[in-house]
Each structure stands twice: as structure tokens, then as C-alpha cells.
Amino acid sequence: MSPSATVKSSYRIGGDVWGGFAAMLVALPSAIAFGVSIFSPLGAEFGAKGALAGMLGVTALGLIAAIFGGTQRLISAPCAPAAAVLSALTMQLSQQGLPVGAIVLTLFLVALTSSVAQILFGVLKIGRLIKYMPFTVISGYLSGVGLIIILSQLPKWLALPKGMGWWQGLMSPSLWQLPGLLIGGATAGAMLLAPRISQRIPGVIQGLIAGIAMYWLLALSGWPQLLSLENNSMVIGKLSADAGGFVATLTGPWSSLSSASLPRWDLVLVPALTLSVLLSIDTLKTCLVLDALTGTRHNSNRELVGQGLGNLASTLIGGLPGAGTMGATLVNKASGGSTYLSGVFQGLWALLAVLALTPLIAWVPVPALAALLIVIGIRMIDWKSLQMVRRRDTVLDFMVIVAVVLVANTVSLIAASGLGIALAAAMFISEQIHSSPVRRKSFGNHRFSKRIRSGSEREILEREGAQSVVFELQGSLFFGTTDQLFGEIEAELQNARYLLLDFFRVQSLDVTAGHMVQRIGKMLAARQATLVLSRLPQRLPSGRDLRAYVGSLGLLSDQRTQVFDEFSDALEWIEGDILKAAGVQVDSPHSLQLSEFEIFKDLPQDATTALKKCAHTRVAVVGELIVESGKAGHQLMLIAKGELKVSLSLGDGKSVHLATLGRGQFLGEMSFLDGQPYSANVHALAETELICIEREAFEEIIADNEKIRASIVKTIALAIAGRLRHTNAELREIREA
């Protein structure tokens, strides 16, 4: 390794060490607060154990999730959604009168099952699906979690008697304890003013320092009871820092397995699934923000496996589950963290804190932690969503968010997520139903293929083309839009001889819509009409092969149903069938003579004779390049038999199909007149016989006869004018589309 590479590597490691330390300073106080909020309903002695569980969670998630997840700079730690779900479950089980051991066992099994579910999310590669959770659901969910945290922590900030709810406490100001108010107020105020005080010290650290300082100020100036840990509800309480104390904390959930009966499956599975989805969303949301800030790209499925392993390790040692957290991650980035090792160092710093700071946890004020969580909860609420109520087109989205928040705070988080997804799905279906599945409807006398037709053929198509109807479909064709689609098509089923359905802009198709297409085909076949399908995608955004699916319905094997890969090919087939019905022989095997070309039908005999003198025949094989763009042009070429494709080369090596020329058509007319290079490429689609008129030979033969020259040039100019009008009509169709 070169010296410069060694310096850069050392610099990155130094940045990861400092970034991990700064992230630990943000994650650790929050994790302690989350642990206290989850376990404190079980009794005063469990507050300190909850704090230690939070610290162990920071350690395990930092070490395991960072290594196996691999997302650069991501910091994982216990988070608010986990605290909300587990706190609500703890209070629910406590109100039901379950023994403490049974509650601890239930929390343990919920966290364990959630971890396994997260690992399965990653292994089954459904990480991307979680990212597609509707915004309204996520917004309402996070706002609901924030509100749950606020309401659950208010009694602790006010130091209310145990068991008293937030509403009853707010209505009883006489029960509020002044030390709790002052300690919480100092914490919240310092957190809110933190950016003005110092940009280098995280806000949670500033808030916690302010709360602790206020606690000791009160203890030394009039509240001597705060100087003792015994019967002091204002602090977390003593947790043994020796080996025995640690062992008791780490083995607590395991000992409950033998001392308590297993809880009902619904008390474990429902909260576990809720928790796994919430933690996955929280992690992937942070990863997306991190990608946007750093220009990197995370692996969603790998990260979910890493998070699941981290939560599994945390659960097994008695720690709290968590996710990739936004605040600590941004602090890590700002402090120099640049790789996944910053998360590992955060876990190591947390481990040192567990070993060194456990005795001091006893003196951390509970009102300070409660105020810290309330500020976090307030910041979790999506206040920007309130602006949705001002606009008519987003009022329904706002109502979905409100519904999710209300159900989250009155029923449960899983019910809120289910309701949110159901409402979002209902709104999507409603929007799809009210948006037309038909992008455009047109008729064959106005919509033509890319095959250039003669004047007589165009007259027939303009006269008879109304019997072909073209429907360009769009969006999702499913049970909600099938009736509307059939209603728009039904009016044409009795008169149309050809019905063309173009699937180019279709995003999805379900069984109901598929059978509707089959029904249309049978109705047309009953009256000897033809169903034509074009541009059936082999891979929809959903992953379905639409061509194979339509084939499974039997439409591709139906002799009366025509299927084409290209829209223009479908139009060309319809035009050809109309012309054949009108007695026009489109693809005759016989070669045309010079005098039989429509371009020269009004040309005087002497002019025709002059052209024959300077003409020669050329035969092109299939795929042969007849005309190359940019090469000098010197011939007027007439197609006596066969078929040519005109294409325009693009800058990326691709080409666009401009036109198809068949028997009786011509090319090279502009270069023949002005001598400029050809403007497009022309390939033979079949063995093609060409009558070529050389420009120099033509000039020699009619050099002394201006009348013949004028007659031939006029004929070619009129043919060019006809094609320009055809091009204008095509451009108008494209513009209207």
C-alpha cells in the first residue's frame, strides 16, 4: 500500500472512530429513555433494568447490524417505534393483570419473533416492497407513534402517581410535582435551544445535561429527599454494577421461560409483525435519506438481514430492538464517519459506556428522560401534512393520516397500519376507476401505418378505414376498470370490422380484465370481425409476462385474433386486409414496369421513353443496405417488387423506423433532384427488385429537351408534396396523442 493510501485509510478510520463516538452520544441517552419507558410500568425497580437494556441494545445493534447490514455511515440503535410498540404492549399486559415474569417473557418473544421476521424480509427479498408503503400510512404511523410517546411520557414528566393516565393527570394540576416540571422543562428547553447553544454537542446530550443539572440544583436548594436513591421516584434507581447484576439483567428473559407460562400466540405474533415492519420502514427510510446525501446506494435486502441479526443479538442478551436511526446517522456523517465501521465503533463506545457508566445511571432523572422522549415524539409528528387540509385534492390523503393517528392511539398500531393500507388501497382503486383506461380512440381513416401507400390505396383507406377502430389502452386493467373499459368499447362492437387494442402503456392486467378481452374476441368472431392485439409487453412492472398470460387465455391460438409486436405492423395488417377486400393486390409476385408506376401515370409518352433509356434494374437480397445515410445520392429508385424499410439512426446506436415502402413506391427522390446526401438508411425486408434511374444519365438524355425535364421534375415534386402531406398528418396524430 502506498504512503498516500495509508494516510487516507488512517484518516477514514479516524473519522469512523470519532463519528461512532458522536453517534453514541446521541443514541445512548435516547436508548436509556426508551428502555425506562418500556419497563417502568412493571415497577420502580425495573426502570434501571430498562435503562441497561437500552444500552445493551445500542451495543449489540452497533456491532452486529453495521457488520452484516453494510450500509455506509448508518447508525443503528433502539428507536421510537420500538419504544411505542413495546411500551403499549407492556401497559396493556399490566392492565390485564399478568404477572411481571409473564410480561417480560412476552416482550422477549415479541422482540425475538420480530428479529426473525426482519431476517426473513431480507432473505425473501421483500425489502423493496416495504419501501413502497404509502406515504399517508407512513406519515400517519410515525405521527401516531410520536403522539403515543408524548402521551405516555407526560405522567412521568409531571411525576404523577403510578397508574394515573395522562388525561386525568392534566385535569389534576394539584398532583403535579414542581421538581418534575422544572427538570423536564430544563431538558426540553435545552434540546430545543441546542442548535443556538452549540452545533458540536448533540441536542439530546445538552438536554440531558440540563436536566441533570436542574435535578442537583433542586436537590441542593430545598428538596433534600432528592439526595437519596431510596424511595426516590424522580430517578431511575440503583442497578447493581457487579457481575451478578449484569448476569441477572442478561438472563432475565431466559429465566422467565421456566417460571412463566407461554403467552397466547396473538399477543406475540401481532405486535411482532407490527414491530418488524415498523423497524424495517424506519431503517430503509434512513437509508434512502443517506443515499440522497452521499450519492451511495444501499442494499435493502442485505440491510434488513443485518438489522434482523442485530435485533436478534440484542434480544438474546436482554437488550432492546431498534433500527437505523436518522439523528445518530446524520451526526455520524457530520462528524467524519464514512464507512460501516463507524457503526461498529459506535457499538464499541456503547460497550465501554455500559462497563463504566452503569453506576451513574441510577441518578439519571426520570422527568428528564420523559421530556427528552416528548421532544423526540413532537419531532416525529409530520407537521407538514397539516398543509394537505388546505387543498381540495389532498384532503382525502390528510383524512387517511388522521384516521391512522386516531386508530394508533385508540386501538393499536397494527390496526392503524391495516386501516391505513386499506384506505390507501381504496383511494388508489377509486382513482383508477375514475381515470379512463383508454388513452386514445381513433379510426382507420385517420390513423395510418408507417407503410407508404399510393394515392389510390389511400383513397380506399380513407373511405373504408372507419370500419377499423383503434383503442390505445393505459394504466391498470383490473376488476375496478374492466366495466368502464368494456363500456367504452361496447359501442363499437356491433359495427367495427377490426378492433385494435394496443397495450403499450398498460401497467397491469388481472384475470377479470383478461377474460373481458377474451369476451370481446368471441363477440367479434361471432360476426366475422377481427380482434387485433399489439405491443403486449413480455414484462410488466409487476413482473408478469402479459403475452404469456394472454396466451394462457387462448387468445393467441384463436385464428381470428391477430397479435403483433409493433403497433404500426398491426395497422399495416388491417390496411392490407381492407385493400384486399377492395380488390387491390398489395403484394403481387409480378414486377411492375416503369410505365405502371403511379408516380408516372400522367407522364407523357416521350418522357416515359426518356426515363427508360437511363434506367437499369437492381435486385437486393433480404437485409441488404440499399441506401446509407450521409452518402452521396444520385439515383431515383422505384420498387418493382419487394419491400423496404426506411430508418433513421440515433446517437445511441439505435434507430427509429420511419416508413415501409412496398411495390409501386419510390425512394431517393430528394437526392435525385438536389444531389445532396441521403438522409436515412434503407434496408431490404424481402428480396426486392428496383428500377434505378441514374441522375447523370438522366441529365444527358434530356439535356436538349426542357419540356421533358419540366414534366418529370414536376411529377417527382408532386409525389414529394403528397408524402409531405402524409408526414404532416402523422405529426398531427402524434401531437394529438
Side-chain angles (χ1 to χ4, degrees):
M1 182 180 294
S2 64
S4 60
T6 303
V7 171
K8 290 181 180 179
S9 177
S10 300
Y11 178 79
R12 283 197 299 269
I13 293 176
D16 289 335
V17 172
W18 177 246
F21 178 74
M24 182 273 295
L25 293 180
V26 175
L28 204 61
S30 301
I32 292 172
F34 293 142
V36 172
S37 69
I38 293 170
F39 285 92
S40 58
L42 301 179
E45 69 277 11
F46 281 89
K49 294 183 178 181
L52 182 56
M55 298 174 74
L56 292 173
V58 177
T59 301
L61 280 164
L63 294 173
I64 306 300
I67 293 174
F68 291 97
T71 300
Q72 307 300 324
R73 303 180 180 87
L74 182 67
I75 298 298
S76 300
C79 57
V85 173
L86 297 179
S87 296
L89 182 60
T90 303
M91 288 187 287
Q92 175 189 345
L93 298 178
S94 297
Q95 292 169 359
Q96 293 177 1
L98 265 67
V100 171
I103 296 176
V104 172
L105 176 59
T106 303
L107 294 176
F108 172 75
L109 293 176
V110 166
L112 192 69
T113 306
S114 172
S115 305
V116 175
Q118 265 194 300
I119 296 172
L120 289 177
F121 288 164
V123 171
L124 298 177
K125 300 186 182 302
I126 59 176
R128 293 182 179 179
L129 297 180
I130 294 176
K131 292 193 295 185
Y132 297 138
M133 185 74 70
F135 168 78
T136 50
V137 177
I138 295 176
S139 175
Y141 217 117
L142 294 178
S143 297
V145 169
L147 191 57
I148 288 174
I149 290 174
I150 293 170
L151 299 180
S152 66
Q153 296 305 309
L154 270 177
K156 298 175 183 177
W157 184 342
L158 302 176
L160 298 175
K162 183 181 178 181
M164 180 172 288
W166 66 271
W167 178 253
Q168 184 182 1
L170 286 178
M171 295 297 101
S172 306
S174 59
L175 298 178
W176 301 356
Q177 296 191 37
L178 184 59
L181 286 173
L182 295 175
I183 294 169
T187 302
M191 284 187 68
L192 296 175
L193 296 175
R196 298 183 181 181
I197 299 173
S198 173
Q199 295 285 346
R200 300 179 63 86
I201 303 176
V204 289
I205 296 296
Q206 295 186 46
L208 197 57
I209 291 174
I212 293 174
M214 177 60 71
Y215 176 88
W216 286 106
L217 179 64
L218 295 174
L220 297 174
S221 59
W223 279 274
Q225 66 271 24
L226 300 180
L227 295 173
S228 173
L229 285 176
E230 298 298 328
N231 300 320
N232 187 352
S233 60
M234 287 288 174
V235 294
I236 290 177
K238 185 177 181 181
L239 177 65
S240 177
D242 56 20
F246 276 117
V247 170
T249 300
L250 298 176
T251 59
W254 295 101
S255 61
S256 299
L257 286 172
S258 58
S259 61
S261 59
L262 292 175
R264 296 196 322 265
W265 67 269
D266 59 308
L267 291 177
V268 174
L269 187 60
V270 175
L273 290 178
T274 303
L275 186 60
S276 62
V277 173
L278 265 180
L279 298 181
S280 299
I281 291 174
D282 209 29
T283 296
L284 297 184
K285 180 188 69 174
T286 303
C287 290
L288 288 174
V289 173
L290 197 56
D291 287 349
L293 292 175
T294 61
T296 56
R297 188 173 181 83
H298 73 282
N299 185 324
S300 299
N301 295 313
R302 177 185 173 185
E303 189 55 50
L304 289 185
V305 172
Q307 292 291 322
L309 291 172
N311 282 325
L312 182 62
S314 177
T315 302
L316 293 177
I317 64 173
L320 297 182
T325 58
M326 187 75 71
T329 297
L330 296 181
V331 168
N332 172 44
K333 176 183 177 298
S335 301
S338 59
T339 72
Y340 74 93
L341 290 176
S342 55
V344 176
F345 282 115
Q346 177 242 10
L348 293 174
W349 284 116
L351 178 60
L352 291 176
V354 170
L355 298 175
L357 302 180
T358 302
L360 301 179
I361 294 176
W363 291 100
V364 174
V366 172
L369 297 177
L372 183 150
L373 290 181
I374 287 176
V375 173
I376 292 175
I378 291 173
R379 290 173 175 171
M380 285 186 67
I381 296 176
D382 185 9
W383 298 103
K384 292 182 180 179
S385 63
L386 295 175
Q387 299 177 3
M388 292 183 178
V389 77
R390 301 177 182 177
R391 299 179 58 183
R392 180 177 299 178
D393 55 348
T394 56
V395 168
L396 289 178
D397 296 299
F398 176 76
M399 297 305 297
V400 171
I401 294 175
V402 172
V404 172
V405 173
L406 291 177
V407 173
N409 283 269
T410 56
V411 183
S412 68
L413 286 169
I414 191 65
S417 64
L419 175 66
I421 293 174
L423 291 176
M427 289 177 62
F428 172 77
I429 293 174
S430 176
E431 182 179 350
Q432 293 296 313
I433 291 175
H434 289 90
S435 61
S436 175
V438 176
R439 178 176 180 269
R440 191 177 180 214
K441 172 185 173 182
S442 56
F443 294 89
N445 55 350
H446 293 100
R447 195 71 183 274
F448 302 101
S449 70
K450 293 182 179 180
R451 188 180 184 110
I452 304 299
R453 302 288 181 181
S454 64
S456 59
E457 290 175 344
R458 182 170 286 275
E459 287 179 4
I460 295 173
L461 293 177
E462 290 177 350
R463 184 177 66 248
E464 304 293 338
Q467 59 190 305
S468 66
V469 189
V470 180
F471 287 94
E472 297 176 54
L473 308 180
Q474 65 179 359
S476 299
L477 306 183
F478 68 113
F479 62 88
T481 58
T482 299
D483 185 67
Q484 182 182 359
L485 176 59
F486 186 79
E488 295 194 37
I489 294 177
E490 187 178 18
E492 305 298 337
L493 290 179
Q494 300 304 317
N495 302 313
R497 182 178 168 191
Y498 308 93
L499 182 69
L500 171 56
L501 301 180
D502 181 59
F503 288 82
F504 181 65
R505 293 177 177 83
V506 170
Q507 298 295 312
S508 64
L509 183 141
D510 71 353
V511 176
T512 306
H515 281 285
M516 184 270 294
V517 175
Q518 187 179 33
R519 177 186 173 193
I520 290 173
K522 291 180 178 179
M523 293 177 67
L524 290 170
R527 41 180 295 272
Q528 302 302 307
T530 303
L531 174 64
V532 183
L533 308 178
S534 71
R535 296 193 285 191
L536 289 164
Q538 290 189 324
R539 187 173 182 82
L540 292 169
S542 62
R544 167 174 284 180
D545 184 337
L546 187 56
R547 176 179 286 272
Y549 177 69
V550 171
S552 68
L553 297 176
L555 287 172
L556 301 185
S557 59
D558 186 352
Q559 294 182 352
R560 292 208 59 87
T561 300
Q562 301 293 324
V563 181
F564 296 90
D565 292 331
E566 296 296 332
F567 182 56
S568 181
D569 292 344
L571 291 173
E572 184 177 333
W573 181 89
I574 294 174
E575 292 171 357
D577 211 49
I578 292 175
L579 292 173
K580 288 178 184 178
V584 178
Q585 195 170 14
V586 179
D587 297 317
S588 173
H590 302 293
S591 300
L592 289 173
Q593 300 300 314
L594 186 63
S595 58
E596 294 179 292
F597 281 84
E598 186 179 51
I599 185 177
F600 297 137
K601 67 179 180 179
D602 297 326
L603 202 63
Q605 183 62 40
D606 56 347
T608 303
T609 302
L611 285 175
K612 288 181 179 179
K613 292 179 181 180
C614 57
H616 68 275
T617 301
R618 171 187 175 186
V619 177
V621 298
V622 177
E624 182 178 341
L625 178 62
I626 297 173
V627 168
E628 185 175 359
S629 176
K631 292 296 180 68
H634 55 84
Q635 289 181 333
L636 173 64
M637 288 171 274
L638 309 168
I639 305 174
K641 184 178 67 173
E643 191 175 52
L644 303 178
K645 177 182 179 181
V646 183
S647 59
L648 184 67
S649 297
L650 303 178
D652 56 0
K654 299 180 181 179
S655 63
V656 58
H657 182 189
L658 296 179
T660 302
L661 302 175
R663 180 173 176 267
Q665 295 300 315
F666 56 91
L667 65 150
E669 68 282 358
M670 290 191 296
S671 295
F672 180 78
L673 291 178
D674 61 16
Q676 297 298 314
Y678 293 119
S679 58
N681 297 320
V682 180
H683 290 82
L685 296 177
E687 184 176 294
T688 304
E689 183 179 329
L690 298 168
I691 299 175
C692 304
I693 300 174
E694 296 287 346
R695 189 168 185 269
E696 290 185 3
F698 171 75
E699 290 290 349
E700 290 179 5
I701 291 173
I702 53 89
D704 298 328
N705 196 328
E706 283 297 325
K707 183 178 179 180
I708 294 178
R709 174 197 287 273
S711 178
I712 294 174
V713 170
K714 177 183 177 182
T715 298
I716 297 175
L718 288 174
I720 294 175
R723 287 192 173 178
L724 287 175
R725 290 186 181 277
H726 173 73
T727 302
N728 288 339
E730 282 191 335
L731 291 174
R732 186 182 299 110
E733 289 289 333
I734 294 173
R735 181 62 179 174
E736 289 176 355

